[in-house]
Amino acid sequence: MARANVTAFIAMLRDSAAAGTSNVTDMQSLHRWSVERPTDFWPAVWRFCGVVSEDRGTAAAWDAVGYGLDRMAPPDPERGPTWFPGARLNFAENLLRRTDDRAAVVSWNELGRQRVLSFAELDSEVGKVAAALVAEGVGVGNRVAGFLPNIPETLIAMLATATIGAVWSSCSPDFGASGVLDRFGQIGPMVLFCADGYRYAGKQIDSLARVREVRARIPGIRRVVVIPYVGDAPALHGLP
């Protein structure tokens, strides 16, 4: 527990002399304080985590800590709960704040360890894909879809999409064509990322037949990006 983040968080609270934290010494007392004083707890979490947000030139990045925080129900636009109204941030910017040589992604599959990406390499790859998406006409609010296994390229495509303010949606490559269409057909993606296939229980399973069907039935897809995962030269016939 001495090296745990929650221990460091409690120490930060006590050093800051935040209201009501004099008795916060362990998980139980921290939980009690967080429930009793949510408008003190959530800014402390923001500061401890170093959330990167738009600079508004004021002391706080938000208009209020939240509203409706005592409402135990699904979020409602008017009644809340809503956290940090007025704050603006980018998910990808927060995940990509580091650009050093430490490992950010270590990829394994059934064949063993495959690829390691440092934070610097991840940032570079995301930047390249983001630029390609912009060149394709993708912008804020446009949709990008991923029909991909759990591989580094999936993460890169998601972060690149978030970087430019577009909307990312994905589904597992073991979905049938109807399942993929049910999900992606609702949002009308402009770009579809896919792999040529995936591995399961020692077998290589093709994905491109379903990709062809999906592409044919979602005419708004401008570009299909195929990642060679199970082979070096995917069969791209029938994929515009």
Side-chain angles (χ1 to χ4, degrees), residues 31-139:
H31 178 260
R32 184 165 55 251
W33 177 75
S34 73
V35 172
E36 293 172 350
R37 307 185 71 101
T39 55
D40 293 317
F41 170 74
W42 287 109
V45 171
W46 180 293
R47 289 191 294 271
F48 180 77
C49 294
V51 175
V52 180
S53 65
E54 185 178 78
D55 182 6
R56 305 201 306 172
T58 62
W62 53 82
D63 296 327
V65 173
Y67 59 85
L69 300 186
D70 58 348
R71 182 172 179 268
M72 296 298 292
D76 179 271
E78 300 295 330
R79 295 178 292 167
T82 298
W83 284 264
F84 302 113
R88 288 174 57 85
L89 57 85
N90 186 285
F91 178 69
E93 183 180 15
N94 278 271
L95 290 183
L96 296 169
R97 70 180 80 182
R98 291 175 53 178
T99 55
D100 55 40
D101 292 331
R102 293 179 60 182
V105 180
V106 181
S107 175
W108 291 69
N109 64 16
E110 290 184 351
L111 302 179
R113 182 164 164 151
Q114 298 297 308
R115 187 180 180 193
V116 178
L117 281 172
S118 69
F119 282 99
E121 290 168 332
L122 178 62
D123 182 70
S124 175
E125 293 294 314
V126 169
K128 292 173 185 176
V129 176
L133 288 172
V134 171
E136 194 62 39
V138 179

Side-chain angles (χ1 to χ4, degrees), residues 1-239:
M1 283 292 291
R3 296 174 57 191
N5 277 333
V6 70
T7 305
F9 180 55
I10 291 171
M12 185 203 76
L13 292 176
R14 295 177 65 83
D15 289 343
S16 69
T21 59
S22 58
N23 295 321
V24 176
T25 58
D26 53 22
M27 275 295 299
Q28 289 71 32
S29 55
L30 174 62
H31 178 260
R32 184 165 55 251
W33 177 75
S34 73
V35 172
E36 293 172 350
R37 307 185 71 101
T39 55
D40 293 317
F41 170 74
W42 287 109
V45 171
W46 180 293
R47 289 191 294 271
F48 180 77
C49 294
V51 175
V52 180
S53 65
E54 185 178 78
D55 182 6
R56 305 201 306 172
T58 62
W62 53 82
D63 296 327
V65 173
Y67 59 85
L69 300 186
D70 58 348
R71 182 172 179 268
M72 296 298 292
D76 179 271
E78 300 295 330
R79 295 178 292 167
T82 298
W83 284 264
F84 302 113
R88 288 174 57 85
L89 57 85
N90 186 285
F91 178 69
E93 183 180 15
N94 278 271
L95 290 183
L96 296 169
R97 70 180 80 182
R98 291 175 53 178
T99 55
D100 55 40
D101 292 331
R102 293 179 60 182
V105 180
V106 181
S107 175
W108 291 69
N109 64 16
E110 290 184 351
L111 302 179
R113 182 164 164 151
Q114 298 297 308
R115 187 180 180 193
V116 178
L117 281 172
S118 69
F119 282 99
E121 290 168 332
L122 178 62
D123 182 70
S124 175
E125 293 294 314
V126 169
K128 292 173 185 176
V129 176
L133 288 172
V134 171
E136 194 62 39
V138 179
V140 175
N142 295 135
R143 278 78 62 194
V144 177
F147 182 46
L148 292 160
N150 190 13
I151 55 178
E153 289 83 356
T154 307
L155 175 63
I156 291 166
M158 179 276 289
L159 289 172
T161 301
T163 292
I164 61 176
V167 178
W168 171 261
S169 180
S170 66
C171 61
S172 169
D174 60 5
F175 274 38
S178 60
V180 180
L181 287 163
D182 285 344
R183 178 167 296 187
F184 296 160
Q186 298 178 56
I187 64 170
M190 291 174 60
V191 176
L192 174 63
F193 287 89
C194 65
D196 54 348
Y198 63 100
R199 293 184 174 88
Y200 179 73
K203 299 178 181 178
Q204 291 187 184
I205 301 170
D206 174 74
S207 294
L208 293 182
R210 282 164 293 160
V211 171
R212 292 183 183 92
E213 182 175 351
V214 169
R215 171 61 184 81
R217 294 175 62 182
I218 304 179
I221 296 175
R222 297 183 185 180
R223 177 80 65 182
V224 179
V225 181
V226 181
I227 296 160
Y229 179 55
V230 297
D232 294 330
L236 300 181
H237 61 274
L239 279 176

